[in-house]
Amino acid sequence: MESPLLVPSMLAADHTRLAEDIAAIERLGIKWLHIDIMDGHFVPNLSFGPQTVADLRPKSKLFFDLHLMLENSQEYIEAFISAGADQVSIHVEPSYDIGATIERVRSLGAKPGIVLNPRTDASHILPFLPSVDIVLAMTVQPGFGGQSFDDSVLEKTKQIDAYRSEHSLNFRLEVDGGINLDTARKCRNHGVDTFVAGSAFFKSDDQTKFLREIESMP
Ligand code: DX5
Ligand code: ZN
C-alpha cells in the first residue's frame, strides 16, 4: 500500500486569499491540493471555475487534484486541464460516457480518477479501475465542507483495496469528507492511502502536526 498522503481541500480556505493560503500549504511541505468544482445541479452548491485554477497555476507547484461534481463533466475536461489541472476525477453517478471521458482526461495529459458517493455501490466503478490513477470514495454526500464522516463507507474502501490487490492495480485510494485524525486512522485501516481534509486541516491550530500525524500512519 502507498504511504499516506494528506491533501488539503481548498474549499475550506479563505476564498478571498486563495494564493496566500495555498502558498502557506506549500511551505509546510504538502505536495497535493484538492480543488472542488461544483455546478449547482449535481450538488446543491457552487465553488470554483477554470479561471480560478488558471490564476493559481503560475503561483503554485502543488499537484492540483480536481474533484469535478458536475452533471456534465465531459464538457469541462478540456477547460480545466488547459487551466492547469494535474489530475481530474469525475463522478460515476451522472449519465454520460464515463469511459470516454476518462480516456479524454488521459489524452489531454492529466491523470484520470473516478469518484463514487457514499451510497453508490463499488460494483459501478469496477469497469473503470484499470484505466484510472485514483479512486475517490466520498465519505460525505458531496456539496459542502464540515459534514460528519459516514462510517458505512469503510467496508467499501476495504473492498476496493482488496480488488486493487487481487488485480494488481495501482491506483491511489482517496477519501473525502469529514476527515480528521480519528477518521483518517479508521480509513487507513480500511485500505486508504490518500486523505482529503478541509475543515479539520484549515481549522487545526497546528497544521504541521496534523500533516505529520497523517503522513506517519503505518
Ligand atoms: C465536499 C468536498 C470536500 C470538502 C471536504 O463536497 O468534496 O472536498 O472540502 O470538507 P471537509 O474535510 O470539511 O469535510
Ligand atoms: Zn472534494
Side-chain angles (χ1 to χ4, degrees):
M1 188 159 66
E2 293 274 0
S3 46
L5 185 70
L6 170 67
V7 190
S9 175
M10 193 167 84
L11 193 65
D14 178 344
H15 291 204
T16 67
R17 29 171 296 134
L18 294 173
E20 291 92 328
D21 278 11
I22 73 171
I25 288 171
E26 215 167 334
R27 283 196 297 275
L28 294 178
I30 284 170
K31 298 287 182 251
W32 284 27
L33 179 70
H34 185 80
I35 304 180
D36 288 302
I37 311 295
M38 304 181 182
D39 68 353
H41 292 276
F42 180 64
V43 289
N45 197 6
L46 297 162
S47 55
F48 312 108
Q51 175 86 45
T52 318
V53 177
D55 287 355
L56 290 171
R57 186 65 289 177
K59 298 177 192 288
S60 174
K61 291 192 167 52
L62 290 166
F63 178 89
F64 285 177
D65 171 37
L66 264 69
H67 172 195
L68 267 47
M69 286 160 269
L70 308 176
E71 205 62 59
N72 55 346
S73 287
Q74 76 284 4
E75 289 170 34
Y76 288 92
I77 295 301
E78 194 157 358
F80 282 109
I81 295 176
S82 314
D86 294 295
Q87 180 161 267
V88 179
S89 296
I90 58 167
H91 271 264
V92 73
E93 294 85 5
S95 33
Y96 61 107
D97 190 339
I98 293 166
T101 308
I102 287 173
E103 286 321 314
R104 181 127 183 83
V105 170
R106 201 178 288 292
S107 71
L108 290 168
K111 295 185 170 194
I114 189 81
V115 194
L116 72 175
N117 280 338
R119 280 179 288 283
T120 302
D121 197 84
S123 59
H124 294 278
I125 63 163
L126 298 185
F128 310 110
L129 295 184
S131 13
V132 294
D133 285 277
I134 194 159
V135 170
L136 171 51
M138 291 307 299
T139 40
V140 297
Q141 198 54 30
F144 298 91
Q147 305 181 73
S148 316
F149 178 82
D150 181 344
D151 271 280
S152 69
V153 180
L154 292 168
E155 271 316 299
K156 189 163 65 181
T157 59
K158 202 170 152 185
Q159 206 183 331
I160 298 168
D161 176 43
Y163 188 94
R164 168 168 66 178
S165 311
E166 278 160 29
H167 295 81
S168 307
L169 296 170
N170 53 13
F171 54 83
R172 296 197 74 106
L173 180 51
E174 183 177 48
V175 280
D176 180 13
I179 298 299
N180 54 38
L181 296 176
D182 277 350
T183 56
R185 269 183 217 107
K186 290 188 194 170
C187 292
R188 184 65 179 162
N189 292 332
H190 291 77
V192 173
D193 47 63
T194 308
F195 302 83
V196 174
S199 341
F201 174 77
F202 280 93
K203 287 193 185 136
S204 161
D205 41 28
D206 192 344
Q207 293 180 336
T208 306
K209 184 161 172 256
F210 190 94
L211 168 67
R212 221 179 286 127
E213 293 209 13
I214 295 278
E215 295 197 348
S216 66
M217 288 187 299

